[in-house]
Amino acid sequence: MKLLMFTVGSSQPKFGAFVQEKIIDLNEIARLAKLSLPPSIQESLKSSSGLSDAEKVIAYAVANWNQLPENAIWKEDQIEWLPIVGSPEKIVCVGLNYKHHIMEMKREMPSTPVLFAKMATTLNGHRQDVPYIDLSNSLDYEAEMAVIISKKGKNIKKENALDYVAGYSCFNDVTVREYQFRTIQWMQGKNFDGHGPIGPMLVTPDEIEDLAASRITLRLNGEVMQESFIGDLIFDVPTLIEAISEIMTLNPGDIIATGTPSGVGFGRTPKVFMQRGDVVEVEITNIGLLQNTIK
């Protein structure tokens, strides 16, 4: 499944799916089909049936496609995209998780995952504007793959870790470098409002044939700045879930941002930082393309 949250005009947030090149309103279809469905991805993950109710509604929509009402089907250019999870309990980010990025940042190779946090106030959706910060001219990009947790887990072992993955999405760990390096802790530079675009959709694992072979790319105004493969992660998804769940309980809707490859603006000579009007894209094979404008 490819799931999303969106609005149309001034409507309340809608729970959608990408089906047959269209966006469908799952709650509207569930109402017509007399099926039970929570109002959002996040609430679905928290429910006892997880995303299975959404799967049933999608199956109904496909079987009755020609009978669906107009207000249940939308084109991409008719909607406003929202963050796929609006208020996660936790956004756990991983630093220094690609070898060449570690080298460009002049850091030592970590023996365990380097973890920090972003707050829910950083979250932003596909095609939503990312705020430029007048306080500093050091606004940087970081293409990442996000992992969305499906169910509660503590002390999860690597061999079982993928059972706790609801899906994957694109993420941009937008960073104000000057604030990041004010102290030895990175939190200040990572947590400006709107500096965590995620989307466009949550893509469930069954949609991805070979995650390790998926290419992650970041383009700034059309120019490729970062490019690697998910398989190049130093600590892969099962390892991260095991390490993080050893420290804290993971809950449905929690997000793990898995780290960025080399090519960040701070690591270039001369440095390249984002400016007003810049368009930044994060694309991951089989997962999607996340686009935002700096304003």
Side-chain angles (χ1 to χ4, degrees), residues 22-230:
K22 295 288 195 304
I23 307 297
I24 60 173
D25 183 340
L26 293 178
N27 287 118
E28 178 63 22
I29 296 169
R31 185 184 66 80
L32 293 170
K34 296 180 172 55
L35 294 171
S36 175
L37 182 70
S40 69
I41 293 174
Q42 190 163 1
E43 291 303 314
S44 290
L45 292 173
K46 291 179 178 179
S47 72
S48 59
S49 52
L51 297 178
S52 62
D53 288 337
E55 191 171 12
K56 292 174 186 176
V57 177
I58 292 171
Y60 175 89
V62 172
N64 297 274
W65 189 261
N66 293 329
Q67 285 76 49
L68 296 181
E70 289 185 3
N71 67 340
I73 305 177
W74 304 93
K75 297 178 182 178
E76 290 188 49
D77 59 5
Q78 294 177 305
I79 72 168
E80 179 179 347
W81 303 75
L82 299 175
I84 54 174
V85 179
S87 53
E89 182 182 281
K90 295 182 283 297
I91 306 171
V92 182
C93 301
V94 183
L96 309 175
N97 203 18
Y98 287 85
K99 180 180 178 180
H100 289 99
H101 176 55
I102 295 169
M103 294 169 63
E104 72 179 353
M105 299 301 282
K106 298 179 173 57
R107 301 276 185 163
E108 294 182 2
M109 196 71 66
S111 57
T112 58
V114 176
L115 305 178
F116 62 96
K118 286 178 90 91
M119 307 303 158
T121 48
T122 65
L123 290 177
N124 217 331
H126 175 51
R127 293 183 180 167
Q128 291 187 342
D129 294 339
V130 170
Y132 184 83
I133 301 302
D134 290 320
L135 296 169
S136 174
N137 184 29
S138 63
L139 189 64
D140 209 347
Y141 51 82
E142 290 194 7
E144 308 206 11
M145 181 184 73
V147 179
I148 298 84
I149 297 299
S150 62
K151 58 184 178 180
K152 184 175 182 177
K154 183 74 168 75
N155 294 318
I156 302 164
K157 298 304 180 185
K158 279 193 289 188
E159 54 267 29
N160 303 318
L162 295 182
D163 295 337
Y164 291 79
V165 174
Y168 303 93
S169 196
C170 302
F171 188 79
N172 190 347
D173 178 20
V174 177
T175 304
V176 183
R177 296 297 183 191
E178 179 185 346
Y179 278 69
Q180 178 186 3
F181 297 126
R182 276 183 164 187
T183 68
I184 59 173
Q185 298 288 344
W186 298 350
M187 181 177 173
Q188 294 180 53
K190 298 286 189 176
N191 276 286
F192 281 85
D193 291 349
H195 282 191
I198 187 168
M201 293 174 274
L202 181 154
V203 179
T204 53
D206 58 291
E207 296 275 351
I208 305 168
E209 185 175 342
D210 185 355
L211 183 65
S214 293
R215 185 186 298 270
I216 181 169
T217 305
L218 184 138
R219 289 180 290 270
L220 184 62
N221 299 321
E223 181 181 352
V224 173
M225 308 297 282
Q226 293 181 280
E227 194 164 39
S228 189
F229 291 95
I230 300 302

